[in-house]
Amino acid sequence: MMNKTLQKHVFYLIGIVLFALMINLGSAFDDLISRLNKPLFQRVVLATIVLVYAYIFLVQQIYAYLFFKSYRFVKLTGFLKGIIFIILCLGIVLSIHLLLLDILLTQRDQGTFFTLDYFKNDFLLFFIPVLFYLIFLFLKPDFVLLLGFAGIGGLTIPNEEEPPSEDDLSTDAEISEIDQEDRYLALWKETRMKKFLFEYYFENFKRPLRGDIPLWKVVFFEKTGTVTFGYFVNGEKWALLNFDDTILNNPWVIKINQNSYINMLYVLEKPDYRVLLKENQQIDEVPKKANRIEVVALYEQVRMGLEVVTDSQKLDLLLQISRRMKDKNYTNFWKEAYLQQLDESKLEDRIETIDD
């Protein structure tokens, strides 16, 4: 049986060929055979197929950036995300396509083919399929082709002839969960987009802290004069009595201020800014510039878990990035060369053992 990835590529190829024929034939379907037999038309269709693949690559790179790298975009609501994604991609693709057509088709007569008749007929044959593809891609991200690196998911084809039993459903769900985790890990290794590695560990966040505790379970460390505290992804805070300072040299652990060391697995690239009120300062007073601090931005579900056990303002102080540490450590982490050499297995390094 054809595997899911090959099915996806075949489906895309068929759709792209039909789309290339449609936009090049335009309204001339009554002269179909004679146009298909022309060598020039055949070359134009082939060039269009290549161009459409380039558009798909561009659109899906925009998708990957917005949904996996842009912190501001990720924080938006789902509906607003869709509107911005569709308008942005549609504007870029249409602009490039119309510019190419204007250059290629009007270079001889110095005129323009952008007439009212074009926009009422041939233009719609390009615009409407592109619009529907962008909507479909937003609603069904597993169908993304992602040329240049591994796909996010695959097509799911249910067997309608024989309904599955409850045991089959349970087994399929377990296999699907394992496959999903493996897919995220493979995507991280291929793209070095840290969001995929975060998703890989996401399903294990709620497990209790027992036995050997790996680094990936801790969000950050707070060092005091007598003990080091660990703040964990499940919202717990523990005093680490047998803490080994060598873990602070782990490439995933970055010192952000005098007392705090952050696990960068849970950090978004662009920091947040907070305004801290001085003691006895009224809320309606205009805060001074000196009260504005820069803090690391955590994934929302991680931040919410920590705020259950730690006051939000205290958490901001613990996560504050000092200027010296930002220039020395934080900024360097996001450089391409640093991300490329990161070893995900280092997240399995043991922090401490917590007995039952």
Side-chain angles (χ1 to χ4, degrees):
M1 180 181 292
M2 186 184 302
N3 64 47
K4 302 300 176 58
T5 301
L6 183 57
Q7 280 182 336
K8 185 189 298 184
H9 281 277
V10 170
F11 187 87
Y12 263 89
L13 179 61
I14 294 173
I16 289 170
V17 170
L18 293 176
F19 179 59
L21 288 171
M22 181 178 67
I23 62 177
N24 283 291
L25 287 170
S27 56
F29 282 96
D30 55 341
D31 192 26
L32 179 62
I33 302 301
S34 66
R35 294 193 69 177
L36 288 175
N37 289 330
K38 293 181 179 179
L40 178 60
F41 180 80
Q42 295 169 2
R43 291 196 294 270
V44 169
V45 170
L46 181 60
T48 304
I49 291 173
V50 175
L51 184 61
V52 172
Y53 266 109
Y55 290 153
I56 290 173
F57 176 79
L58 175 62
V59 165
Q60 297 182 2
Q61 291 295 326
I62 294 173
Y63 181 94
Y65 175 78
L66 291 177
F67 286 87
F68 297 109
K69 281 193 171 183
S70 175
Y71 174 57
R72 291 183 180 178
F73 184 82
V74 170
K75 292 173 65 177
L76 301 176
T77 62
F79 179 76
L80 187 57
K81 286 180 184 178
I83 295 296
I84 293 175
F85 168 69
I86 291 170
I87 291 177
L88 178 62
C89 292
L90 199 60
I92 293 175
V93 170
L94 289 179
S95 298
I96 295 174
H97 190 72
L98 293 177
L99 179 62
L100 289 175
L101 288 180
D102 190 53
I103 293 173
L104 295 174
L105 300 182
T106 63
Q107 57 182 343
R108 292 184 178 180
D109 55 15
Q110 303 299 318
T112 181
F113 74 100
F114 295 147
T115 62
L116 180 61
D117 184 63
Y118 169 75
F119 284 103
K120 289 173 59 178
N121 296 285
D122 292 351
F123 174 74
L124 294 179
L125 295 176
F126 182 81
F127 174 81
I128 294 176
V130 172
L131 175 61
F132 275 96
Y133 173 71
L134 293 174
I135 295 173
F136 179 74
L137 187 63
F138 174 71
L139 297 176
K140 299 290 185 180
D142 281 354
F143 201 68
V144 66
L145 190 63
L146 281 179
L147 302 171
F149 54 94
I152 290 179
L155 294 173
T156 300
I157 303 176
N159 183 357
E160 298 180 355
E161 296 180 359
E162 181 180 350
S165 65
E166 292 184 4
D167 290 340
D168 290 338
L169 287 174
S170 177
T171 302
D172 289 345
E174 291 174 0
I175 294 174
S176 176
E177 183 176 340
I178 294 172
D179 289 345
Q180 182 80 339
E181 290 182 0
D182 290 343
R183 188 155 55 241
Y184 283 129
L185 185 58
L187 283 166
W188 150 254
K189 292 179 179 179
E190 183 72 22
T191 68
R192 313 310 284 184
M193 291 184 183
K194 192 167 61 63
K195 168 70 174 178
F196 291 124
L197 198 58
F198 171 80
E199 295 290 352
Y200 173 71
Y201 284 108
F202 179 78
E203 293 300 326
N204 299 311
F205 281 0
K206 299 302 181 181
R207 294 182 182 178
L209 297 175
R210 295 293 182 269
D212 288 343
I213 306 302
L215 175 61
W216 68 263
K217 289 189 176 184
V218 67
V219 181
F220 70 96
F221 301 101
E222 177 193 4
K223 288 183 69 67
T224 68
T226 56
V227 69
T228 296
F229 291 97
Y231 293 75
F232 295 90
V233 289
N234 63 355
E236 296 183 26
K237 174 185 175 182
W238 287 75
L240 305 174
L241 303 179
N242 301 309
F243 183 70
D244 185 355
D245 279 358
T246 58
I247 196 67
L248 301 180
N249 296 323
N250 188 291
W252 288 94
V253 179
I254 299 297
K255 186 176 183 179
I256 55 174
N257 58 54
Q258 184 176 357
N259 299 317
S260 300
Y261 295 76
I262 192 81
N263 182 353
M264 294 299 285
L265 174 65
Y266 302 112
V267 177
L268 297 167
E269 183 170 1
K270 293 185 178 179
D272 280 337
Y273 289 91
R274 299 282 192 268
V275 175
L276 299 181
L277 296 176
K278 290 183 177 180
E279 190 174 358
N280 299 324
Q281 180 177 331
Q282 298 297 320
I283 295 178
D284 57 352
E285 289 184 25
V286 178
K288 297 180 181 180
K289 187 176 181 181
N291 293 339
R292 190 168 183 261
I293 65 171
E294 191 173 18
V295 301
V296 295
L298 301 174
Y299 287 99
E300 182 179 1
Q301 52 268 61
V302 177
R303 173 87 190 194
M304 290 174 60
L306 291 175
E307 288 182 349
V308 173
V309 296
T310 306
D311 176 75
S312 179
Q313 192 170 42
K314 179 183 178 182
L315 193 59
D316 287 337
L317 290 173
L318 291 171
L319 297 178
Q320 181 179 357
I321 311 174
S322 70
R323 180 174 299 179
R324 186 172 69 88
M325 291 296 103
K326 181 178 181 181
D327 295 338
K328 181 180 179 181
N329 297 333
Y330 185 86
T331 303
N332 182 64
F333 179 89
W334 299 104
K335 293 180 179 179
E336 184 69 20
Y338 193 93
L339 290 171
Q340 288 295 332
Q341 57 87 31
L342 274 175
D343 182 359
E344 66 281 355
S345 67
K346 290 291 185 180
L347 290 167
E348 302 292 340
D349 286 359
R350 189 177 70 86
I351 303 299
E352 186 162 320
T353 298
I354 297 179
D355 298 327
D356 295 335

